[in-house]
Amino acid sequence: MRLYYSPASPFARKCVVTATELGITERVERVTVATNPLSTGETPIPGNPLGKLPTLERDDGPAIYDSPVICRYLNNVAEGTLYPAGERLWTTLTLEALADGIMDAALLMALEYRLRPEELHYAPWLEGQWQKVARALDTLETLWMSHLHGPLDVGQIATGCALGYLDLRHGARDWRAGRPQLAHWFTAFDQRPAMEASRP
Ligand SMILES: N[C@@H](CCC(=O)N[C@@H](CS)C(=O)NCC(=O)O)C(=O)O
């Protein structure tokens, strides 16, 4: 199978970290492509009309997207344990959604800085996106630390990739300030071989 991917995409990194943690990296060929929301048609990504990364071209079926679908598919292929049974499944999927939401807001901010001329940057909108990130980080710090320290699951992988993306694109915002437990968790999580091997 082929993963259409970019090293700087936190969503794509999530899939790569998942494949690595599952021990199936050699079965996932990476195809590096650059996307640009202003001209999605210029970077055709087979099977994904949205033109977005990550997209997984499968050997035995149609392409699949987006990152929650791909991660779950990879876990099925590997018969992995990244999706717990019972009630914990819902907390895991909610954590994944929270982390994906951080990535969404952080990506929108990065696109505003990168794609719009500086004189058109809209500060209230940028701050609105950052407020989403900040509230999500506060929620991780106050409600999710016990889950984050539990058995490895896709929610933790998504959280690690979201925090790595904040360091990559929004380091000046200092997300660690006032969130010592989350910062401490990330320091350890970021040293996992799967995170080190996928560092953008
Ligand atoms: N919800 C999607 C988000 C994917 C996404 O936004 N990918 C970005 C790269 S980080 C992209 O391909 N953007 C190009 C575009 O919007 O045209 C997922 O979880 O995979």
Side-chain angles (χ1 to χ4, degrees):
M1 49 195 149
R2 272 166 306 285
L3 180 71
Y4 289 81
Y5 142 100
S6 153
S9 162
F11 302 101
R13 187 183 188 196
K14 206 179 124 187
C15 300
V16 169
V17 170
T18 296
T20 308
E21 292 287 358
L22 290 166
I24 58 167
T25 31
E26 74 290 346
R27 293 170 65 181
V28 184
E29 181 195 339
R30 285 183 231 172
V31 182
T32 304
V33 286
T35 55
N36 180 342
L38 299 184
S39 54
T40 43
E42 284 173 20
T43 313
I45 297 179
N48 186 347
L50 302 173
K52 286 194 177 194
L53 304 170
T55 294
L56 185 73
E57 210 177 23
R58 292 186 290 165
D59 301 326
D60 57 354
I64 60 172
Y65 44 88
D66 47 23
S67 63
V69 180
I70 295 171
C71 290
R72 200 154 181 171
Y73 174 79
L74 295 175
N75 188 70
N76 269 26
V77 166
E79 296 180 14
T81 57
L82 297 177
Y83 295 81
E87 176 60 23
R88 197 173 167 91
L89 175 64
W90 306 115
T91 49
T92 293
L93 294 179
T94 302
L95 178 59
E96 181 187 23
L98 186 64
D100 285 0
I102 293 174
M103 295 183 209
D104 280 330
L107 174 64
L108 287 173
M109 292 173 69
L111 290 175
E112 175 85 357
Y113 288 126
R114 184 159 63 93
L115 298 181
R116 299 192 87 194
E118 195 173 344
E119 64 275 16
L120 295 181
H121 291 175
Y122 187 48
W125 189 86
L126 283 163
E127 288 315 304
Q129 295 304 320
W130 183 254
Q131 286 311 312
K132 288 178 193 290
V133 174
R135 283 196 305 269
L137 294 172
D138 289 341
T139 301
L140 289 170
E141 175 79 12
T142 52
L143 294 181
W144 286 94
M145 293 318 304
S146 160
H147 187 108
L148 286 171
H149 284 289
L152 182 68
D153 65 19
V154 73
Q156 293 169 21
I157 291 173
T159 302
C161 293
L163 297 177
Y165 188 67
L166 294 182
D167 280 344
L168 179 70
R169 294 289 188 234
H170 304 292
R173 298 255 180 186
D174 192 12
W175 66 263
R176 290 171 177 78
R179 302 173 187 111
Q181 299 183 90
L182 187 60
H184 183 257
W185 174 82
F186 182 62
T187 298
F189 192 85
D190 199 35
Q191 286 166 20
R192 293 181 77 90
M195 290 293 283
E196 288 189 337
S198 62
R199 209 179 297 293

